[in-house]
Amino acid sequence: MSYLVLARKWRPQTFTDLVGQEHVAQTLRNAITQGRIAHAFLFTGARGVGKTTIARIMARSLNCLNRTDATPDPCLECAACREIALGTDPDVQEIDGASNNGVDDVRKLQETLPYRPQRDRYKVVIIDEVHMLSAGAWNALLKTLEEPPPHVKFIFATTEVHKVLQTILSRVQRYDFRLIPTAKIRERIAHILRAEGFRFDDAAVSLVAREAAGSLRDALSLLDQVIAGVQGEITGAAAAKLLGVADRKVLYDLARAMLHGDAATALRTFDAIATEGYDLPNVAKGLLSVLRDLVVARAVSDPTDLLDLADEERAEVVALAKTADPIDLERLFVAWSKTTEDVARAREPRWVMEMAAVRLSHRPALLPVDELMNRLVDLERRLSSGGAAPPPSGGGGGGGGGGGGARPGGAAPPAPATPRAPVQGAPASPAGPPAKFTAPRLPEAPRAQAEPTPMARSSAAPAVVSQPQAEGVSWLDQRRAKSPDAKPAPLVKPAEPMAPPPPPEPDVDTSMAPAVMDVWKSVVGAVEGSLVPVLKGAVPLEVTGAAVRIAIDDRDSFFKRKLATPEAQEVIAEAASRIFGVRPTVTLVQGTLPDGSLSIARLEENLRNEERRRREEALRANPLVLAVCEVLGGDVQRVRLDGDPV
């Protein structure tokens, strides 16, 4: 007998067995118990969360021969339950929408619907991946779906509900399936492992549950892979090595090294990770999740319900978080989130991660704003009272000022600097206080028509002062000018810049763009691929079920090359047909558009500018910023937000 994978062997058979979709199961149970069963259902959600499984349970429950109104769950023992589970029930059809998506397939289905079921109560039609049906197939099914025979029930399942026509969505009951929480996936995996007789530890179960990312089917597929590759007890280290992800202990070591400023340990850990062949972008995301857990553990007194971790890992996270400052942890998380994005795009992700770890390990300490404000207030008090400000820490020797007299305000003079060794051949300095230092005056440049002053001989070479290169003077002229007999070369006066030509007068009327912008957004939203940014830059003139007219400027060669093709216009027509239910004609108008013509791209840019203006005003009105400006007697000249270039 062939091996049956865990995802099929442990597939739920009743509403009670479902994990993570209790809101859907309870609603369907109530509908069956109350006799309020709709004629069409749409199940939508991510992969592996139970859409097709609940559709089959629903079909069994509707047609179970032993079911009563008080017990909506199927019995799993009658002929109907067994045949539906095997896929041999003649009254329950499960259709793959990806391979049966044409008009002819829908017509063949419609020919069988008027006939009564052979044995069951209902004819149940389950269409999986229903978003793959063509527009013609949807239109052919539309009337039947709105008023089907009383003995027919439709159940649709899809992962991309945005591709389903609005006319279809208005005729079905929609149920949104959620991602399954990691804790529930972990409980289900542990239950299956115990039932199968395997020995395991909590680290392995937690690792598989996290890698499933909310999909129970993915979790069981990963568990099958781990079981096949492990001899004996299933441990977290063995599961991490088989799945190509970093062990949680390694991630904790990395976080600890960055927190405590140990760059050497971080680099050695990255070297071990790269040697083992782990997926580095996955390691970066795993470390980001660890930093998130540390922030939560530091911010909440009892983070048990917020940390989806095993008890041992939760205790380690809490202990590590207590050794760090909350603001410092937030700072690490924000910096590493940017590193995670860079790693996903980098050619050498290891180098990016290593340099980020070194930079974060050597991060300077943060000073509280209150302390900085106190320093500013103290500085202002000293200046107003005539006292001198304290010298900056670590400062070098400064020029000017007497070395020996008393300082204003009664401040003690600084300690004398270590005397330099006397230069060979120079007379020794007499004992006593050093002479007052006077800065030497630089010689003035000789005036025109003046006689050259003979320079005193000196053992030191004269400093070479680089003169700025005059505009329009070639390197050959400069070299000739250095010759003592050369005459100064005349500077070439740059030519006056030409005034730009006036902009051309617009010849396309775009006044209707605001009225049709909402409909045009819906059409663009139904388009996928690289054509979307181009369509966002086009100006809509008319968007109806009969015609779609968009305008582009003749000066935008890129837009002309992208949109003036039959393929692009076919994509626009196909997207519009999904919105209106009919296929319009597409017309591309080319000409000179008025400045400021309305497009989706311009709307998005205006929203970004408005949001930036609002954030800048909020920052300028911040009480701390106003206090600093008042103390320093200044004003905010420029606001740099997150993401702005430095």
Side-chain angles (χ1 to χ4, degrees):
M1 183 177 178
S2 60
Y3 173 70
L4 192 64
V5 296
L6 295 177
R8 295 180 58 189
K9 182 178 180 180
W10 289 90
R11 171 174 281 171
Q13 303 298 318
T14 64
F15 290 115
T16 309
D17 297 337
L18 289 170
V19 177
Q21 309 299 340
E22 290 79 7
H23 63 293
V24 177
Q26 186 60 40
T27 305
L28 295 178
R29 287 166 60 95
N30 294 341
I32 295 174
T33 303
Q34 300 171 10
R36 304 177 63 86
I37 306 171
H39 63 276
F41 301 88
L42 176 64
F43 298 158
T44 175
R47 69 189 189 282
V49 294
K51 300 184 296 296
T52 307
T53 297
I54 292 187
R56 294 176 180 175
I57 295 175
M58 187 72 175
R60 288 198 207 100
S61 182
L62 292 175
N63 293 323
C64 179
L65 302 179
N66 299 328
R67 181 185 62 83
T68 62
D69 293 340
T71 57
D73 285 329
C75 69
L76 305 180
E77 297 178 356
C78 64
C81 289
R82 292 196 302 269
E83 291 177 4
I84 292 175
L86 296 174
T88 58
D89 192 314
D91 296 326
V92 177
Q93 302 183 57
E94 188 169 344
I95 302 172
D96 178 19
S99 56
N100 301 276
N101 56 4
V103 178
D104 295 337
D105 299 312
V106 173
R107 288 175 179 170
K108 292 178 183 178
L109 174 64
Q110 288 176 325
E111 292 175 357
T112 63
L113 297 182
Y115 301 102
R116 299 285 304 178
Q118 299 181 21
R119 179 197 57 200
D120 301 338
R121 295 188 187 93
Y122 299 99
K123 276 191 171 182
V124 182
V125 180
I126 302 174
I127 303 181
D128 203 2
E129 301 298 335
V130 72
H131 64 273
M132 300 294 290
L133 293 183
S134 63
W138 276 124
N139 292 329
L141 187 61
L142 194 59
K143 190 63 178 177
T144 304
L145 184 61
E146 183 176 13
E147 299 178 359
H151 57 270
V152 176
K153 303 295 180 184
F154 289 98
I155 302 178
F156 302 144
T158 179
T159 56
E160 302 183 35
V161 69
H162 60 277
K163 293 185 178 180
V164 181
L165 300 180
Q166 293 293 330
T167 52
I168 300 298
L169 295 177
S170 63
R171 290 168 169 82
V172 300
Q173 283 190 2
R174 172 175 169 175
Y175 292 86
D176 290 274
F177 285 58
R178 305 165 183 166
L179 290 174
I180 304 175
T182 307
K184 293 188 176 182
I185 296 179
R186 188 169 58 244
E187 293 175 2
R188 185 66 174 173
I189 292 175
H191 170 72
I192 293 174
L193 286 175
R194 282 192 291 266
E196 294 287 335
F198 292 101
R199 293 182 295 110
F200 61 93
D201 61 7
D202 292 339
V205 174
S206 299
L207 177 65
V208 174
R210 278 194 302 269
E211 291 301 312
S215 172
L216 186 56
R217 184 180 62 205
D218 289 1
L220 296 182
S221 299
L222 294 174
L223 184 60
D224 255 325
Q225 181 179 349
V226 171
I227 291 174
V230 174
Q231 296 291 337
E233 183 180 2
I234 302 174
T235 62
K241 189 172 184 179
L242 282 170
L243 298 180
V245 297
D247 188 9
R248 204 71 174 175
K249 183 179 182 304
V250 176
L251 299 179
Y252 291 148
D253 292 341
L254 280 173
R256 185 179 294 104
M258 289 192 299
L259 276 175
H260 298 162
D262 191 356
T265 300
L267 291 176
R268 292 191 181 94
T269 306
F270 277 122
D271 180 70
I273 290 174
T275 304
E276 291 292 333
Y278 291 130
D279 182 28
L280 294 182
N282 197 356
V283 173
K285 290 188 289 186
L287 182 55
L288 186 65
S289 69
V290 169
L291 294 175
R292 176 263 175 194
D293 293 343
L294 290 173
V295 173
V296 173
R298 193 67 175 86
V300 183
S301 58
D302 185 12
T304 304
D305 55 335
L306 298 178
L307 296 180
D308 200 1
L309 302 171
D311 295 339
E312 182 181 353
E313 293 183 2
R314 188 183 302 111
E316 185 173 0
V317 167
V318 172
L320 182 58
K322 289 181 179 179
T323 63
D325 183 73
I327 299 179
D328 199 29
L329 288 174
E330 297 174 16
R331 180 186 180 192
L332 279 176
F333 177 84
V334 172
W336 193 259
S337 64
K338 179 64 169 60
T339 303
T340 304
E341 299 175 0
D342 296 340
V343 167
R345 301 188 299 264
R347 291 186 178 181
E348 294 292 343
R350 174 182 175 180
W351 299 346
V352 175
M353 296 172 67
E354 288 177 339
M355 295 305 104
V358 172
R359 183 175 66 253
L360 294 178
S361 299
H362 296 161
R363 65 193 182 281
L366 295 177
L367 289 177
V369 177
D370 295 341
E371 182 178 345
L372 294 177
M373 293 296 298
N374 292 334
R375 291 186 181 183
L376 290 174
V377 172
D378 183 65
L379 176 62
E380 183 185 23
R381 186 183 301 112
R382 287 173 177 270
L383 294 177
S384 61
S385 62
S393 60
R407 293 178 175 266
T418 303
R420 298 183 179 179
V423 182
Q424 185 176 3
S429 300
K436 184 175 180 181
F437 173 77
T438 305
R441 297 183 59 187
L442 296 178
E444 297 181 357
R447 298 184 181 182
Q449 307 295 335
E451 292 295 331
T453 304
M455 299 181 62
R457 293 189 178 185
S458 174
S459 58
V464 180
V465 181
S466 58
Q467 300 294 338
Q469 180 177 350
E471 186 176 0
V473 180
S474 65
W475 65 271
L476 183 59
D477 293 334
Q478 293 181 5
R479 188 165 185 179
R480 289 172 176 172
K482 294 180 180 180
S483 175
D485 300 332
K487 296 182 179 181
L491 297 179
V492 179
K493 185 178 181 181
E496 294 292 336
M498 297 180 61
E505 293 294 330
D507 57 6
V508 178
D509 183 14
T510 61
S511 59
M512 293 301 295
V516 300
M517 182 55 66
D518 292 338
V519 185
W520 175 239
K521 288 181 181 179
S522 301
V523 174
V524 176
V527 177
E528 294 183 351
S530 60
L531 199 62
V532 174
V534 182
L535 294 178
K536 287 185 176 181
V539 179
L541 305 179
E542 178 184 0
V543 185
T544 62
V548 174
R549 294 174 56 245
I550 57 177
I552 58 175
D553 201 299
D554 276 334
R555 295 166 288 183
D556 295 331
S557 59
F558 175 77
F559 282 72
K560 291 171 61 177
R561 185 169 65 254
K562 286 291 185 180
L563 292 179
T565 60
E567 293 80 5
Q569 299 179 18
E570 176 68 21
V571 171
I572 299 173
E574 179 67 22
S577 65
R578 298 178 186 173
I579 303 301
F580 301 108
V582 294
R583 190 180 186 85
T585 59
V586 178
T587 306
L588 181 64
V589 178
Q590 303 182 31
T592 304
L593 305 185
D595 293 338
S597 298
L598 192 61
S599 63
I600 298 178
R602 186 172 294 275
L603 284 176
E604 293 177 348
E605 182 181 1
N606 293 340
L607 290 177
R608 289 193 299 268
N609 293 338
E610 178 63 23
E611 175 64 17
R612 181 181 181 87
R613 184 192 62 77
R614 185 188 64 80
R615 293 175 63 187
E616 287 187 0
E617 290 181 353
L619 290 175
R620 290 175 183 272
N622 189 286
L624 291 177
V625 176
L626 295 177
V628 171
C629 293
E630 182 179 358
V631 169
L632 299 180
D635 193 8
V636 178
Q637 298 296 326
R638 184 173 67 92
V639 178
R640 183 169 66 87
L641 302 177
D642 293 339
D644 290 353
V646 180

